[in-house]
Amino acid sequence: MADCIFCKIANKEIPAQILYEDDKTMVFKDLEPKAPIHYLIIPKQHFDNVTNVPAGNDIISHIFTVAIKMAVKEGVSDEGFRIVNNTGALGGQSVNHLHFHFLAGRQMKWPPG
Ligand code: DGP
């Protein structure tokens, strides 16, 4: 998508601190980290948000597989981590390219604000 910042990161048109990528996904550091470890996991294909992923498409399960891979890689799979998806205006989504936040390295609180 032309004006999508995460598409530009996925296409390597603008820089990001990339930690992992495969044919379908990319993981990079969030610009405004909210935890010692704060990564964004995105599909390379553009979807505005989870509601636009067609039934039967396995991208969400693939993203969770990647998240668990990152947890193991960072050594936080035992102590714990949080995966967050914000959807739409009330959900707090500010970038309209599907993404999941991977947060770790501190005690998380509940409920989120
Ligand atoms: P959300 O509010 O759920 O849509 O999260 C968007 C996140 O994306 C937010 O934590 C800040 C991050 N972000 C926005 N623009 C950029 C960027 O250009 N590069 C990187 N690495 N992160 C970005």
Side-chain angles (χ1 to χ4, degrees):
M1 247 193 128
D3 279 330
C4 171
I5 195 101
F6 286 179
C7 283
K8 286 182 180 162
I9 289 174
N11 293 328
K12 298 186 179 157
E13 292 164 17
I14 62 166
Q17 293 188 62
I18 299 166
L19 300 150
Y20 171 88
E21 73 176 301
D22 59 31
D23 56 332
K24 292 184 197 163
T25 62
M26 184 178 272
V27 182
F28 52 90
K29 289 190 182 180
D30 194 294
L31 260 191
E32 301 159 18
K34 303 293 189 284
I37 295 171
H38 186 171
Y39 303 156
L40 297 171
I41 308 173
I42 67 162
K44 289 183 173 175
Q45 183 180 354
H46 183 93
F47 300 100
D48 280 356
N49 61 49
V50 278
T51 69
N52 303 116
V53 177
N57 187 311
D58 73 349
I59 191 63
I60 305 294
S61 62
H62 184 69
I63 283 172
F64 272 75
T65 301
V66 170
I68 292 159
K69 214 177 266 196
M70 296 311 295
V72 171
K73 193 173 166 192
E74 295 297 339
V76 299
S77 51
D78 288 339
E79 68 185 33
F81 54 90
R82 181 172 284 177
I83 297 167
V84 174
N85 170 252
N86 299 322
T87 301
L90 285 189
Q93 183 177 9
S94 62
V95 176
N96 290 324
H97 180 122
L98 174 63
H99 56 278
F100 286 75
H101 299 257
F102 178 90
L103 301 132
R106 67 164 170 83
Q107 179 61 57
M108 301 297 160
K109 298 183 180 124
W110 191 262

